[in-house]
Structure formats: structure tokens, C-alpha cells
């Protein structure tokens, strides 16, 4: 369990537990499952029930792909740094200054997720499903490597956006903070 200390203007360090990799992975898989269920459900409704043909490809892209593309950005904005998967796993995105991330930070981390958007590549490489899986695999491996070599377990988007993913439930208690022995010899 890694801990990140964030200094405040009041000379008090706030401690957060950095989210473990397995929690981030499970949150990602939960979100991916939600997106796949949405994709299958919408394709079933639009193509199966409404009998839309290839002439309506623009509507399919608008109704199916746009919500999938903006899912993580919008849910993190609306749910205080959490997607549905992050909420279930009890982790969230915060700014490196200890507060809630702002719109620019969410946009930066969302945009730099492009190499993890393998499911979108299936539509671009519709004839070659194996190429879509290859891109998804390479993006996933790149994310795992980047998260594992950074000190704060950040991915590329987190580093550029100045954010970190932390646990929302801490193992620290009030007793850990109230009766701390403070060295007053260097107090200013």
C-alpha cells in the first residue's frame, strides 16, 4: 500500500492511499463490460428491432460510438472523479494538490487514453478483428508498464493531467492523526 502526501497551504500534509493496480484493473474491466453491454444492446435495438441498414451508419456512430467515447470523461466529471467501475472498487481520481480534479485535468487524462481505446478500433478495422485485438493488447500492456514504473502508479494521462487515483476508503483512523508526536524544534 503506497501513500502519497500532499502538502497544503496550512503546513498540513494530507495522506491518501494510492489505489492498487488490481483495483484499477477491475474498475477498468467493469467499465469495459458496461460499454460492451451498451454496444450490444444498442446494436440489437437499432439493427435488430428497428431494422436499420448500412444507409444509417452516421446515426449508428452518433448513437453508439459517441456515448462510448465520452463515457469515462463524463462519468468522472459528474461523479466526482469516479466511473461506475471506480465507484464499485472504491477508488477515485483526485488532483495532485489534494482537491477534486478540474475540467482541464479530466480532459487531459481522457484524451491521453487514446492507446487504451481498443474497442473503438474494432469499428475502424471492422474486416480485421485480430488487428483490433492486437491494438487493444498493445495499449493494455503499455498502460500496465507505465503504471508499474511510476512512483505514484500513474498512467500517461494522470502524469500529464496532474492527477492520481486513490482509495476512497482509508485504513488510517482518527487515532493515527490526533495524538501524533510533533517535533517543535524546527517549528516556524
Amino acid at each position: 500500500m503506497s501513500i502519497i502526501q500532499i502538502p497544503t497551504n496550512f503546513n498540513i500534509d494530507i495522506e491518501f492511499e494510492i489505489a492498487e493496480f488490481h483495483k484499477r484493473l477491475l474498475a477498468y474491466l467493469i467499465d469495459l463490460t458496461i460499454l460492451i453491454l451498451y454496444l450490444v444492446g444498442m446494436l440489437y435495438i437499432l439493427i435488430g428491432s428497428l431494422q436499420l441498414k448500412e444507409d444509417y451508419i452516421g446515426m449508428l456512430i452518433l448513437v453508439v460510438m459517441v456515448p462510448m467515447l465520452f463515457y469515462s470523461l463524463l462519468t468522472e466529471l459528474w461523479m466526482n472523479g469516479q466511473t461506475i467501475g471506480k465507484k464499485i472498487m472504491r477508488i477515485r481520481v483526485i488532483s495532485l494538490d489534494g482537491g477534486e480534479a478540474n475540467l482541464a485535468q479530466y480532459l487531459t487524462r481522457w484524451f491521453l487514453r487514446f492507446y487504451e481505446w481498443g474497442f473503438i478500433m474494432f469499428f475502424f478495422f471492422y474486416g480485421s478483428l485480430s488487428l483490433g485485438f492486437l491494438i487493444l493488447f498493445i495499449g493494455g500492456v503499455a498502460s500496465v508498464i507505465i503504471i508499474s514504473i511510476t512512483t505514484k502508479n500513474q498512467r500517461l494521462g494522470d502524469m500529464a493531467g496532474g492527477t492520481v487515483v486513490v482509495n476512497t476508503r482509508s485504513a488510517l483512523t482518527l487515532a493515527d492523526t490526533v495524538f501524533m508526536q510533533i517535533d517543535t524544534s524546527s517549528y516556524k
Side-chain angles (χ1 to χ4, degrees):
M1 167 179 74
S2 299
I3 293 179
I4 181 173
Q5 289 187 342
I6 300 172
T8 65
N9 294 336
F10 301 108
N11 290 332
I12 299 172
D13 290 342
I14 301 173
E15 290 184 353
F16 292 101
E17 292 178 15
I18 295 175
E20 297 87 0
F21 177 75
H22 71 277
K23 284 187 175 183
R24 292 181 73 156
L25 179 63
L26 286 172
Y28 178 78
L29 291 175
I30 290 168
D31 291 332
L32 185 62
T33 302
I34 290 169
L35 290 174
I36 290 171
L37 289 173
Y38 173 78
L39 172 68
V40 170
M42 289 306 292
L43 289 178
Y44 177 76
I45 290 170
L46 294 174
I47 294 174
S49 298
L50 300 178
Q51 301 295 322
L52 293 180
K53 303 295 181 215
E54 293 176 1
D55 299 339
Y56 297 99
I57 192 73
M59 187 174 121
L60 283 173
I61 290 173
L62 184 65
V63 172
V64 177
M65 291 304 297
V66 171
M68 290 178 70
L69 184 64
F70 290 102
Y71 167 79
S72 63
L73 174 67
L74 294 177
T75 53
E76 285 179 357
L77 277 171
W78 293 336
M79 296 172 54
N80 294 331
Q82 294 179 308
T83 60
I84 295 171
K86 286 184 179 101
K87 191 162 202 67
I88 291 170
M89 295 309 299
R90 295 185 175 127
I91 58 177
R92 71 183 285 231
V93 177
I94 63 167
S95 179
L96 280 177
D97 66 2
E100 186 177 336
N102 59 35
L103 177 62
Q105 290 173 314
Y106 286 132
L107 279 171
T108 302
R109 66 187 311 277
W110 170 78
F111 182 73
L112 290 176
R113 181 173 277 183
F114 67 89
Y115 58 89
E116 296 172 357
W117 290 344
F119 66 91
I120 291 173
M121 296 300 167
F122 293 134
F123 286 96
F124 293 119
F125 302 109
Y126 185 69
S128 174
L129 195 60
S130 60
L131 185 59
F133 276 116
L134 179 66
I135 292 171
L136 179 63
F137 177 75
I138 291 171
V141 168
S143 294
V144 169
I145 291 170
I146 291 170
I147 289 171
S148 64
I149 63 174
T150 58
T151 57
K152 298 174 187 163
N153 296 349
Q154 295 171 295
R155 26 173 227 100
L156 190 61
D158 289 322
M159 289 186 284
T163 59
V164 66
V165 180
V166 298
N167 288 323
T168 57
R169 284 213 169 160
S170 177
L172 301 174
T173 63
L174 186 60
D176 294 330
T177 60
V178 173
F179 298 109
M180 292 178 72
Q181 190 68 349
I182 299 175
D183 180 24
T184 58
S185 63
S186 63
Y187 178 74
K188 295 180 184 177

